[in-house]
């Protein structure tokens, strides 16, 4: 056994720099990618044009509320420029256009709830309903403030036949109550699964790591293709160990090395991004990936062929991954999804090991 | 001239190699089609306002207070809360059973003492349980419930303020609770009718289905990816013996490059025409010959530039690994900055200049204008500029590589 491992090391020593590079790249790429996307993704905003024909305190407050949301970018237009804004919208340069009419304040005061704001959108306005919701709740706040003062004053008039309480006092009380209480919240779970609260704006580092390490494993395992297709393989006929035994030992040795690096990766990513997967899932993923790539490498005709097949494999997995959530299907059979969702899929592992044994056992008599 | 003959030989060779591999072609080309078609269909369903299958939400009331009862009943009776959503009142066992049978999208549980807590200003939490087999709907439900809660929170302060003043006015408890009840109900009705708050109007100069946009983008991405897949198919194993012999016979690097490009463009003709015809047929806009020619030119130049870029990267890097990685990175940049996945207007402002200099953005943009918006012009300045620059680069690098011999 030790002989085989030593020979493996001698054979790989030539490529040790490249090996180290490909072994550690997944970690660096993951960290880099998450860093970049989390910084840049906040700057992706929905462009919305606002035409304020009323120009009162209430509209200022509402527009400010829209600006303060972290996914909207407001462009202000003068009331005379309304047609310009609409024209730009027609050219799909805005997601939507909001127009506050001159009579906005009157409508608030009268408590009329219909058609407070004109909104324009297109068939490509992806974020329109979200923006509309935010706008509606901001308008609702204004209406509520107006209504409450009227109500309390009416109540006082009814009970005591006088109005002593000032509007401002009422509003202050309301704001105080607003800040102090938080009456309703929601807790969302899927039946039978644990909730995984995830910040939507940052991408899961393990997703990136899974695919990058798949690619690098393909690159690392090119030695399998190279040696399986070489002519020196014949010499194994005269040696104590069979070629197959040699390859399996190499495989296990690589697996252990990669496990160690993966554990380091786990610690670092957990420390930096506070996102971790269970160790078991990680080990299973690494095992499955290594086995699949080994099989592909074993049967590839050349280095280029290996890369093409590897790329094809990654493409297929990526494609399935994107479609999976919509198909409600076999999310258990996809290694990356299993890793990200912490499914400890031993079944998949056993199946792959089985396939490996079958593949290696097939050529027992023809070659060794 | 000898160069021309070499080029023709190589083209013939590439086409021949391609013919040998033609069986794997359907696999390679069809898979992305199926994938893209599926994705487009899904996106179309998700983003369209009219949803065929109603989302069913169950409402479970664990509170014995009659206010909550009334609330839940009003919710269940209101048919038009949001388009396509149906709410019905259930008890907890029914709800669980229906979710297990996949007949319910989600259910909301109003906990015990919900109303009491509301009046006293204590926090209650609505438990929303989603159906794990209908994940996508569940996310939509989550946002609907979020909206509901946001509105409720807005109205809560009104209710509590009324409560506060009612207490200070020394109203009897019964009167006060009555008042709160009424306020609560009217707030609730307001929340439900909040759709009338805005006067909306759809504006568009688009004369086709909403899904056409996705179809066009999908076709664009598909063509680019196909080009790369075909390029990968034609990549050759570097055989040092063969390369030596070619150098000795004075066969140029440039010649091989030109022939590779020509062969690929020739092979791409059939699939491109097929998918273009399909896309245009599905989109349904009739186009005059003039516009069809414009589309042809746009796609042709786009593919040409892309293939020259792939070739240059291939020439510049010594190992396959590096080549593939660089080519993949370049392809993703081309696709992302064409605006096919996320439209240009949503990008951060500091990326905006990139679109002004990217040829793929110009291609897709004018494709959209011509096919979807009935335009009769196109601008190809950026594309032509990129094409010329890349041709020059190709010439220089090709000649330099040949020089290396002597």
């Amino acid at each position: 056994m030790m002989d085989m491992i030593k020979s493996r090391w001698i054979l790989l020593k030539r490529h040790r720099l490249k090996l180290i590079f490909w072994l550690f790249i997944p970690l660096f790429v993951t960290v880099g990618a998450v860093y970049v996307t989390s910084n840049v993704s906040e700057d992706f905003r929905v462009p919305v044009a606002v035409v304020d024909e009323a120009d009162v305190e209430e509209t200022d407050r509402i527009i400010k509320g829209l600006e303060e949301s972290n996914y909207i970018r407001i462009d202000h237009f003068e009331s005379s420029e309304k047609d310009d804004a609409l024209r730009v919208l027609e050219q799909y340069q805005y997601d939507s256009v909001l127009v506050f009419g001159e009579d906005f304040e009157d409508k608030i005061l009268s408590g009329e709830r219909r058609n407070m704001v004109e909104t324009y959108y297109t068939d490509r306005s992806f974020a329109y309903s979200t923006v509309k919701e935010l706008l509606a709740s901001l308008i609702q706040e204004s209406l509520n403030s107006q209504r409450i003062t009227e109500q309390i004053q009416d109540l006082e008039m009814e009970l005591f036949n006088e109005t002593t309480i000032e509007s401002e006092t009422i509003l202050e009380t309301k704001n105080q109550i607003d800040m102090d209480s938080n009456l309703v919240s929601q807790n969302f779970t899927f039946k039978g699964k644990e909730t995984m609260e995830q910040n939507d704006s940052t991408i899961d580092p393990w997703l990136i790591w899974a695919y990058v390490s798949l690619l690098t494993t393909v690159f690392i395992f090119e030695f399998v293709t190279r040696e399986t297709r070489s002519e020196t393989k014949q010499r194994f006929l005269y040696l104590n160990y069979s070629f197959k035994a040699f390859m399996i030992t190499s495989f296990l040795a690589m697996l252990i090395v990669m496990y160690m690096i993966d554990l380091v990766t786990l610690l670092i990513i957990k420390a930096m991004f506070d996102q971790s997967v269970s160790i078991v899932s990680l080990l299973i993923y690494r095992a499955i990936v290594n086995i699949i790539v080994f099989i592909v490498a074993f049967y590839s005709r050349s280095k280029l062929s290996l890369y093409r097949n590897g790329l094809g494999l990654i493409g297929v997995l990526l494609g399935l991954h994107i479609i999976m959530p919509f198909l409600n299907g076999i999310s258990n059979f996809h290694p990356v999804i299993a890793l990200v969702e912490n499914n400890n899929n031993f079944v998949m592992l056993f199946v792959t090991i089985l396939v490996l044994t079958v593949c290696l056992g097939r050529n027992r008599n023809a070659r060794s | 001239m000898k160069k021309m003959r070499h080029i023709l030989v190589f083209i013939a060779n590439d086409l021949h190699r391609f013919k040998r591999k033609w069986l794997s072609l359907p696999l390679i080309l069809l898979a992305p089609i199926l994938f893209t078609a599926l994705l487009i269909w899904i996106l179309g369903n998700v983003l369209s306002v009219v949803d065929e299958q109603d989302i069913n939400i169950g409402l479970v009331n664990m509170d014995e207070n009659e206010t909550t009862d009334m609330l839940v009943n009003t919710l269940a009776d209101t048919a038009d809360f949001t388009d396509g959503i149906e709410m019905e009142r259930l008890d907890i066992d029914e709800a669980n059973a229906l979710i297990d049978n996949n007949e319910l999208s989600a259910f909301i549980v109003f906990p015990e003492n919900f109303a009491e807590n509301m009046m006293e200003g204590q926090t209650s939490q609505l438990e929303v349980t989603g159906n794990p087999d209908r994940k996508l709907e569940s996310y939509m439900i989550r946002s609907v419930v979020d909206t509901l809660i946001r509105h409720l929170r807005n109205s809560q302060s009104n209710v509590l303020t009324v409560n506060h003043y009612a207490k200070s006015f020394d109203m009897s408890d019964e009167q006060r609770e009555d008042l709160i009840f009424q306020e609560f109900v009217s707030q609730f009705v307001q929340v439900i009718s909040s759709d009338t708050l805005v006067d909306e109007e759809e504006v568009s100069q688009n004369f086709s289905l909403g899904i056409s946009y996705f179809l066009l983008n999908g076709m664009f991405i598909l063509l680019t990816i196909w080009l790369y897949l075909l390029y990968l198919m034609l990549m050759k194993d570097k055989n040092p013996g063969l390369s030596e012999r070619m150098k000795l016979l004075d066969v140029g690097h440039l010649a091989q490059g030109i022939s590779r490009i020509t062969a690929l463009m020739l092979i791409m003709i059939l699939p491109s025409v097929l998918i273009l015809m399909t896309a245009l047929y599905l989109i349904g806009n009739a186009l005059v010959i003039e516009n069809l020619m414009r589309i042809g030119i746009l796609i042709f130049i786009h593919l040409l530039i892309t293939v020259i870029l792939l070739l240059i990267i291939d020439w510049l890097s010594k190992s396959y690994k590096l080549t593939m990685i660089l080519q993949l990175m370049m392809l993703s940049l081309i696709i992302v900055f064409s605006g096919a996945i996320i439209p240009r207007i949503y990008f951060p402002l500091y990326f905006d200049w990139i679109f002004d200099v990217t040829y793929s953005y110009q291609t897709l943009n004018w494709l959209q204008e011509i096919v979807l918006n009935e335009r009769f012009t196109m601008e190809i300045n950026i594309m032509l500029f990129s094409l010329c620059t890349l041709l020059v680069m190709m010439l220089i690098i090709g000649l330099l590589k040949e020089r290396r011999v002597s």
Side-chain angles (χ1 to χ4, degrees), chain B residues 318-333:
Chain B
K318 280 185 292 182
S319 75
Y320 289 129
K321 293 189 266 231
L322 191 60
T323 311
M324 277 192 185
I325 292 181
L326 286 178
Q327 282 173 337
L328 283 171
M329 275 169 46
M330 185 215 77
L331 267 180
S332 15
L333 282 178

Side-chain angles (χ1 to χ4, degrees), chain B residues 8 17 54 67 88 90 101 111 137 166 176 190 209 251 256 335 340 357 376:
Chain B
L8 287 175
R17 285 175 63 218
D54 271 341
T67 320
E88 63 172 327
L90 303 164
N101 279 346
E137 286 175 2
R176 182 172 57 84
Q190 280 193 17
L209 312 164
V251 169
Q256 290 180 53
I335 294 183
V357 296
F376 279 79

